[in-house]
Amino acid sequence: MSITVLAPDELARKCRDMRTTIIKTIGDANMGHIGGDLSVIDILGTLYFNVLNVNPAEPTAPNRDRFILSKGHCAVALYTTMAHAGYFPVAELATFIQPKSRLNGHPCNEKLPGVETSTGPLGHGLPVGVGAAIGAKIQKKAWQVFVVVGDGEIQEGSNWEAAMTAAHKELDNLTLIVDRNRLQQGDRTHDVTSLDPLAERFTAFGWEALEVDGHDYGALIEALKGPRAGKPRCIVANTLKGKGVSFIEDRVEWHHKVPSPEQVKEALNELERGA
Amino acid sequence: MATMDKSQLHDCRDAFAATLEALAEQNENIVTVVNDSIGSSKLNGFRKKWPERLINVGIAEQTLVGSGAGLANAGLVPFVCAASCFLTGRALEQIKADIAYSNANVKMCGMSSGVAYGELGPTHHSIEDLAWTRPLAGLDIFVPADDIETAAVIRYVAQSDHPCFVRLSRMGVPTVLPKDYEFVPGRAVPLREGNDITLIGCGVTVCRVLDAAERLASDGIQARVINFSSISPLDRDTIVKCARETGHLLTVEEHSVRGGMGSAIAEVVVSEAPCKMSLLGFPEFAPTGSAEWLLDNTGMSVDGIVASAKTLLG
């Protein structure tokens, strides 16, 4: 059980609010990875407000579920979710990337309790998650490990090393969610190094793999909480980079472009209209 | 003071394995992680006793180090063991981000470091590992000199909550430290008194440096000898004291001359106590040959160390 359990319709409202926070935070800071933040936020919202057994008041409780955002450049999405979940005040998001802020451009576990490991360089989260899942098994603990990677990130070979290890160790306490937004910094993933068929690749590696709409809260909940088959689970969550703001959606150039003050206004209006 | 017993040479991995098994008996949170390197890390005994506590991730160093960080996050005390050349070189970014920057309580044990795999060539030599790891803040780095110090270091790191890199060799070395030796991080260990020059070694060079000091004494030169096993944290006070009292420092290491123990000491000397100093180590990729031959051939034979000391003294 997570501390907070929101049903799909409540999650939709929460994630709409969080999208607003992301736009404002990036606009104010004049920096951030807006496209990936908006594609992953429904996944993060579902995890923190329906799935993860975590307690913001006790962020290092030994039996908490472990969540690792491997795509650390989407720190604003993580900070926004953690702030909305009660790890720290939402107002603190105004300090994002400011000198000596604990809200770095990439998450740091030593600065922000609740972050499990510092991420930023790609391909690090899954190996760490594999270690944590093995650690839970050795100690016969019931807590689970969830890792979110970007789809472009899957090009890092370390993921496939860890994928082999996870399958060999039958880590059915490990869930990998791929934010499959089909864009990476420089181009469409398909035009850089094709990843398809992605779910089948994980199946071939010995994982249980399924595909869902990464913006469908009900489908995400079912995929994240469904009964396990004695294997690590990969959820390929099909998403739209920039989801929720029409002029950002599915455009390569919005990987880390910052909206102008006018565009911030336009984006916020659009989110409000869509509510 | 030194109690060098040359009648027997020790592979320090034996002391590592025996100590680790004794500690694991007491502390069930101790686990080992390997990249298939069970035999070369001398972990067959550990595996036999606790098969479920030896995690073999396969030949996958990024996962080796990353999963070590995850195991620490889960509350365990992982000893991540692999040939030093692959552990540090292949997984350096994981060591930086997942271990040092994330302050994960992982004990990395670099096996067969330096030129222990001399015959296998520079791909398997690990004469860059100190240079790669030394700038990583928060990472303890220890290079034990013999079997006694290896056991003492392993006992220390097992109870410490810091991440560390312990550099171990397979090259036979005599015991140079007393049985009751206690390892203290950040403390250089004086092994011989003298005021003409200070010879500083770490790991497998310490016994050679001691022999060189004895040879120098017969020529009327009193060399101080320091075992510099704690590379990080660094004993700045001892460096400054030796520089001021002896005026000449000669460092001898089984590592590149760039970025290793000598460089760490030189950084202190330059800023706090300038003196005459010379660094012995590998100036380039080493040729192929036995570890003994490579050290001898690169100016780190006892004769070579004596000659360098005399040159430095002028």
Side-chain angles (χ1 to χ4, degrees), chain B residues 19 22 65 68 70 107 111 115 137 140 162 167 232 236 242 253 302:
Chain B
T19 309
V65 174
K107 318 303 174 183
M111 299 291 166
V115 290
D140 287 348
H162 291 193
R167 191 178 191 251
S232 188
R236 304 177 75 89
C242 293
E253 61 192 309
V302 174

Side-chain angles (χ1 to χ4, degrees), chain B residues 5-78:
Chain B
D5 173 10
K6 292 184 192 166
S7 65
Q8 205 190 343
L9 297 181
H10 302 277
D11 176 340
C12 290
R13 294 175 303 164
D14 292 324
F16 157 78
T19 309
L20 188 60
E21 286 179 35
L23 291 164
E25 197 83 57
Q26 309 291 321
N27 181 357
E28 63 176 18
N29 284 335
I30 289 178
V31 296
T32 51
V33 194
V34 294
N35 59 337
D36 204 28
S37 49
I38 300 169
S40 57
S41 300
K42 297 263 184 186
L43 289 172
N44 278 315
F46 188 102
R47 175 163 72 167
K48 205 168 170 191
K49 286 181 182 158
W50 304 286
E52 72 291 350
R53 287 161 65 184
L54 183 140
I55 298 132
N56 189 351
V57 301
I59 306 165
E61 287 74 26
Q62 299 181 83
T63 295
L64 174 82
V65 174
S67 67
L71 286 156
N73 174 284
L76 295 166
V77 183

